[in-house]
Amino acid sequence: MTSKPWLDLLGLINGFHVTQALHVAAKLRVADHLKDGSRSVEELATLTNSHAGSLYRLLRALAAIGVFHEAETRTFALTPMADCLRANSATPLGAWAEYAGSDYVWQTWGNLEHSILTGENAFQYVHGKGIWEYRTERPEQGAVFDRAMTELSRGSAEAVIAAYDFSSFGRVVDVGGGRGLMLSAILRAHTRMRGTLFDLPGVVAGAKTVLSEQGVIDRCDVVGGSFFEAVPVGGDAYVMRVVIHDWEDEEAIAILKSCRRAMAETAKLILIERIVAPPNEMPATKFSDLNMLVLPGGRERTREEFGTLLSKSGFELTQIAPAGNINVIEARPHA
């Protein structure tokens, strides 16, 4: 922030410029081409099959905000932020940048006004169908989204494991667990634990590669299905990472009740979710809430809203453990 409010506001208004610049840089895999050291813009243009002059204009703009570093010789190198765009970064965000600037997301956010005026889901309004159906019909878009979710799991897994003690559980069922990176992290931290990864068949089809790479395939079952119908039984803990926020209360309760039917009385429900802070705090969660409004049609929730949602689904909220920019919400079944 500067000392001039109008300049600060102007920067926020023009924030979409940064989103699209990062989208293009991520899609071209510029950061991956710089992993072994700096390169000239001409080299990068050849590697990315792009126009050298235009690529230079893109990269110098991103360097001006610290994403890359520009030398006087028109060469570019990674910075700590740019390193997060690499596919193998410890805290990767490249796939999220690629997803966030994609045409169908861009078009939907362009209709935020429709959601605000009507309360309706902008994605349904723009595309004539829900986002899950849309991605199923377009596997290439679904693959980018799945990769983004896997990367975000990698970035938050360490904080989640540090914040919450999973050691008492013999089997963890990851419901809506994508390709299994979050579950893999839990299993690696607890070598006697077993896991069950559960998600749509088309999603878990790519999970065995991830589980093998993470060294936990021998301790993990992979099951395909819909959490609106039934989830696997036999878990001591049922984990859902940023699943419930994708849905409005009616659908969220249906998912939670499906878990409740599968759970023994002694099992625990573990939700990994953002929590909406009091007024004037934590803008990231509140903008994520707008993202839920326009894209999947869900919402971020306050602590009190989670308590009510869980109670209506057959659970009692027992604790909330902050884990970086996210929270681990524990609940137990009640009669």
Side-chain angles (χ1 to χ4, degrees), residues 101-121:
S102 60
D103 288 346
Y104 75 102
V105 174
W106 203 245
Q107 292 163 6
T108 304
W109 261 94
N111 283 270
L112 171 64
E113 182 183 16
H114 176 81
S115 289
I116 301 305
L117 293 177
T118 66
E120 297 173 356
N121 176 234

Side-chain angles (χ1 to χ4, degrees), residues 123 127-143:
F123 194 93
H127 300 284
K129 61 188 67 178
I131 196 168
W132 309 110
E133 181 184 357
Y134 181 94
R135 289 199 193 107
T136 299
E137 294 172 352
R138 295 164 177 80
E140 71 287 354
Q141 297 287 2

Side-chain angles (χ1 to χ4, degrees), residues 25 28-36 68 78 82-86:
L28 294 178
R29 307 289 190 267
V30 173
D32 288 316
H33 292 304
L34 294 174
K35 63 182 177 63
D36 295 323
F68 295 99
L78 295 177
D83 187 73
C84 297
L85 294 175
R86 289 194 310 105

Side-chain angles (χ1 to χ4, degrees), residues 119-184:
E120 297 173 356
N121 176 234
F123 194 93
Q124 182 76 39
Y125 171 71
V126 174
H127 300 284
K129 61 188 67 178
I131 196 168
W132 309 110
E133 181 184 357
Y134 181 94
R135 289 199 193 107
T136 299
E137 294 172 352
R138 295 164 177 80
E140 71 287 354
Q141 297 287 2
V144 173
F145 178 76
D146 290 343
R147 193 167 70 251
M149 293 300 98
T150 297
E151 289 187 351
L152 291 176
S153 293
R154 186 187 304 168
S156 65
E158 185 176 335
V160 168
I161 292 168
Y164 184 82
D165 184 7
F166 289 88
S167 62
S168 64
F169 305 127
R171 177 175 289 274
V172 170
V173 180
D174 192 349
V175 178
R179 295 179 178 175
L181 202 58
M182 184 73 241
L183 181 58
S184 294

Side-chain angles (χ1 to χ4, degrees), residues 278-293:
N280 308 308
E281 297 179 20
M282 293 183 67
T285 299
K286 292 168 183 176
F287 276 92
S288 178
D289 180 55
L290 287 179
N291 197 49
M292 296 303 105
L293 172 64

Side-chain angles (χ1 to χ4, degrees), residues 238 240 244 249 252-253 255-257 259-260 263 268-273 275 301-320 328-335:
Y238 285 73
M240 282 189 282
I244 295 302
D249 286 357
I253 289 171
I255 296 166
L256 292 170
K257 284 184 173 180
C259 290
R260 177 66 182 88
M263 293 171 64
K268 298 287 180 65
L269 176 72
I270 312 295
L271 304 181
I272 302 168
E273 294 278 354
I275 292 180
R301 294 174 172 88
T302 64
R303 180 189 181 106
E304 293 73 23
E305 288 170 334
F306 270 113
T308 300
L309 192 73
L310 288 163
S311 180
K312 290 180 178 179
S313 307
F315 293 96
E316 176 187 359
L317 195 161
T318 49
Q319 66 166 302
I320 296 178
V328 184
I329 303 167
E330 181 196 79
R332 65 186 179 193
H334 68 63

